[in-house]
């Protein structure tokens, strides 16, 4: 029996995989608080301060994005998200010298009365963007800061839409690699 | 009622900005199953090229393929390759159940045991050692890993598109899959037909590839 909320997530994600940007945004916005809550809870258990879990949330979102081809729409999306988050938590803890394994049950289990503080940015995305190539920076800035669509960005930068998508995708992969490398 | 505390959606400019970027990239993505299938096709092709460059199928293959002992080599290696490729598809996906593939692997193990048992029963014990050692054990240990390099590289590249939870194990599984593919090719050349030989040297050769895969997985996944 899947949680109705997760069924909604699955519907959105399935639509997103068909190229529906609105559904994808709904999905990402809906799962982020969930990931954040789980990350905060797990990281707190290992005595990590409040700043770190937002990194893990961003890293997990990137992984969800880059690895979304591994989700099978016939399977529930909750466990898939939980395993991705758990892997990112382990990466983050390991980078700081912990040797830990996080039991999957702890990540799946959801506690209702979890109160939350104001999340903060551990790692400023604009600072990380400085490590990207100039074209990638232009594209990410145009799309994220200035809010243009992929098509408009392509027109502004005199590129094809596909080239923008490819460059954006590469930029996201580099961001993920920066997280993995733990440049802090 | 279990639910998240949605009030935690605070002013998280970085995360919100990230979501903004990701949402606009909804279009371009690769289905993991397709990625893996491509790896299989390219990997088998690479294995075939190495095989043809280094050696040939034995000239009498068409006749001997009908004998039980030669057929046995394919009855073990082909299902092993299929089961391992199926398993890789599950290993690369977070939270995916392994499905029927471990059962098929168990079946392959059972066939191997039965084959060895029948061989031991039919061949006089004075000849066991000779069948076991065969004539070309050293070639088997050298050529199977050589043929397996191509598929192994393809599988590691494909697994990078996935998200295996245990990189070392995933790499080792990729190694067994590659070793099995290589063994299918090598079996068409190999003149040692005893199941004793197959169970010993093919397995050892595949283990070598699995160990390479383990370290490749630790390094690249």
């Amino acid at each position: 029996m899947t949680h109705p909320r997760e069924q909604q997530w699955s519907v959105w994600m399935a639509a997103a995989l068909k190229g529906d940007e609105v559904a994808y945004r709904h999905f990402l916005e809906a799962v982020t608080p969930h990931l954040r809550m789980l990350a905060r809870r797990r990281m707190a258990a290992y005595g990590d301060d409040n700043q770190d879990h937002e990194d893990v949330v961003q890293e997990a979102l990137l992984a969800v994005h880059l690895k979304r081809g591994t989700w099978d729409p016939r399977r529930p999306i909750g466990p898939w998200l939980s395993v991705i988050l758990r892997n990112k938590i382990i990466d983050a803890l390991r980078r700081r010298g912990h040797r830990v394994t996080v039991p999957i049950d702890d990540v799946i289990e959801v506690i209702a009365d979890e109160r939350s503080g104001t999340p903060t940015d551990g790692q400023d995305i604009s600072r990380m963007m400085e490590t990207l190539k100039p074209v990638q920076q232009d594209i990410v800035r145009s799309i994220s800061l200035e809010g243009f669509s992929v098509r408009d960005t392509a027109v502004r930068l005199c590129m094809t839409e596909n080239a923008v998508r490819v460059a954006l995708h590469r930029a996201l992969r580099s961001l993920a690699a920066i997280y993995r490398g733990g440049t802090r | 009622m279990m639910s998240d505390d949605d009030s935690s959606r605070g002013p998280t400019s970085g995360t919100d900005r990230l979501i903004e970027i990701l949402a606009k990239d909804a279009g371009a993505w690769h289905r993991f199953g397709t990625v893996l299938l491509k790896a299989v096709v390219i990997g088998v092709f690479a294995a075939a090229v190495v095989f043809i460059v280094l050696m040939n199928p034995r000239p009498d293959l068409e006749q001997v393929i009908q004998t039980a002992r030669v057929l046995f080599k394919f009855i073990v290696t082909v299902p092993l390759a299929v089961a391992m490729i199926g398993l890789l598809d599950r290993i690369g996906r977070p939270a995916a159940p392994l499905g029927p593939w471990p059962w098929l692997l168990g079946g392959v193990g059972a066939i191997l045991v039965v084959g060895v048992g029948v061989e031991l029963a039919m061949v006089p014990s004075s000849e066991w050692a000779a069948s076991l050692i065969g004539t070309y054990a050293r070639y088997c240990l050298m050529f199977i890993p050589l043929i397996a390099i191509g598929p192994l590289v393809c599988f590691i590249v494909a697994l990078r598109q996935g998200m295996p939870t245990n990189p070392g194990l995933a790499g080792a599984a990729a190694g067994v899959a590659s070793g099995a593919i290589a063994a299918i090719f090598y079996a068409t050349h190999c003149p040692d037909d005893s199941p004793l030989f197959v169970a010993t040297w093919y397995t050892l050769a595949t283990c070598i590839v699995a160990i390479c895969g383990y370290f490749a997985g630790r390094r690249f996944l």
Side-chain angles (χ1 to χ4, degrees):
Chain A
M1 169 66 199
T2 323
H3 201 286
R5 181 186 61 179
E6 286 182 15
Q7 277 172 6
Q8 178 62 68
W9 294 350
S10 299
V11 170
W12 278 330
M13 186 54 142
L17 291 180
K18 294 188 181 112
D20 185 341
E21 291 179 10
V22 177
Y24 195 34
R25 184 188 310 267
H26 284 318
F27 169 79
L28 292 170
E29 282 171 353
V31 300
T32 299
H34 172 73
L35 295 175
R36 182 177 292 138
M37 192 271 298
L38 292 177
R40 178 185 300 123
R41 208 173 125 245
R42 273 328 311 167
M43 307 284 286
Y46 286 96
D48 275 290
D49 58 69
N50 227 16
Q51 279 214 331
D52 294 302
H53 63 255
E54 199 62 18
D55 280 0
V56 173
V57 170
Q58 292 179 7
E59 215 180 324
L61 283 172
L62 262 174
V64 163
H65 179 71
L66 293 174
K67 310 291 185 183
R68 63 202 191 280
T70 64
W71 177 60
D72 182 342
R74 289 165 301 184
R75 296 214 187 93
I77 201 162
W80 181 76
L81 286 168
S82 297
V83 170
I84 288 180
L85 180 68
R86 181 194 57 172
N87 291 352
K88 291 304 161 190
I89 290 174
I90 291 173
D91 285 354
L93 293 175
R94 203 169 271 161
R95 273 203 300 269
R96 263 159 282 147
H98 295 259
R99 271 209 71 81
V100 288
T101 51
V102 180
I104 183 64
D105 291 345
D106 288 4
V107 182
I108 287 174
E109 188 191 334
V110 176
I111 286 190
D113 60 4
E114 179 87 13
R115 297 309 310 177
S116 51
T118 311
T120 50
D121 265 330
Q123 202 161 11
D124 189 2
I125 256 208
S126 25
R127 187 155 43 83
M128 287 172 49
M129 270 174 50
E130 287 164 17
T131 61
L132 296 176
K133 291 191 189 122
V135 184
Q136 293 177 336
Q137 282 191 36
D138 287 345
I139 289 170
V140 171
R141 192 171 299 123
S142 165
I143 286 175
S144 76
L145 295 182
E146 296 157 32
F148 285 100
S149 69
V150 169
R151 185 175 303 155
D152 295 339
T153 303
V155 172
R156 291 177 70 216
L157 299 176
C158 301
M159 296 168 77
T160 66
E161 209 176 314
N162 204 36
V164 171
R165 279 197 195 283
V166 170
L168 179 59
H169 195 72
R170 293 225 174 100
L172 293 175
R173 290 183 79 108
S174 326
L175 287 181
I178 292 168
Y179 275 116
R180 261 202 307 280
T183 50
R184 64 177 60 242
Chain B
M1 175 66 196
M2 304 209 303
S3 78
D4 287 344
D5 184 357
D6 270 14
S7 70
S8 65
R9 199 183 296 175
T12 58
S13 61
T15 307
D16 287 348
R17 202 176 303 156
L18 182 66
I19 291 174
E20 192 77 15
I21 302 170
L22 298 183
K24 290 193 171 137
D25 194 35
W29 63 285
H30 304 286
R31 197 166 301 187
F32 182 64
T34 315
V35 171
L36 191 63
L37 203 63
K38 275 186 200 159
V40 171
V41 171
I42 300 172
V44 168
F45 180 76
V49 168
V50 173
F51 175 72
I52 289 166
V53 168
L54 290 179
M55 65 202 97
N56 291 305
R58 53 197 283 189
D60 58 346
L61 183 66
E62 269 183 58
Q63 294 111 56
V64 295
I65 192 81
Q66 282 150 31
T67 66
R69 294 167 100 211
V70 174
L71 200 59
F72 173 78
K73 294 200 276 194
F74 297 99
I75 291 176
V76 172
T77 50
V78 173
L80 178 63
V82 171
M84 287 311 298
I85 290 165
L87 211 52
L88 285 183
D89 177 63
R90 304 310 172 91
I91 289 174
R93 301 169 187 268
L98 295 179
W101 304 113
W103 293 99
L104 185 52
L105 276 186
V108 171
I111 293 171
L112 197 61
V113 169
V114 169
V116 169
V118 170
E119 175 81 353
L120 289 179
M122 290 176 60
V123 174
S125 55
S126 56
E127 289 172 29
W128 285 358
S131 333
L132 176 74
I133 294 163
T135 36
Y136 295 108
R138 210 182 309 158
Y139 289 95
C140 175
L141 286 187
M142 185 172 78
F143 284 130
I144 287 184
L146 270 179
I147 300 170
I149 292 173
L152 181 58
V153 170
C154 292
F155 286 138
I156 296 287
V157 169
L159 280 175
R160 281 175 66 91
Q161 299 288 317
M163 198 186 201
T165 297
N166 186 329
L169 272 186
V176 176
S178 317
I181 290 173
I184 297 171
F185 280 102
Y186 185 73
T188 66
H189 167 87
C190 168
D192 294 302
D193 295 330
S194 168
L196 287 177
F197 182 91
V198 174
T200 311
W201 302 105
Y202 280 42
T203 307
L204 214 55
T206 306
C207 284
I208 293 173
V209 186
I211 291 167
C212 297
Y214 175 81
F215 287 108
R218 298 270 312 240
R219 174 71 186 77
F220 295 110
L221 295 181

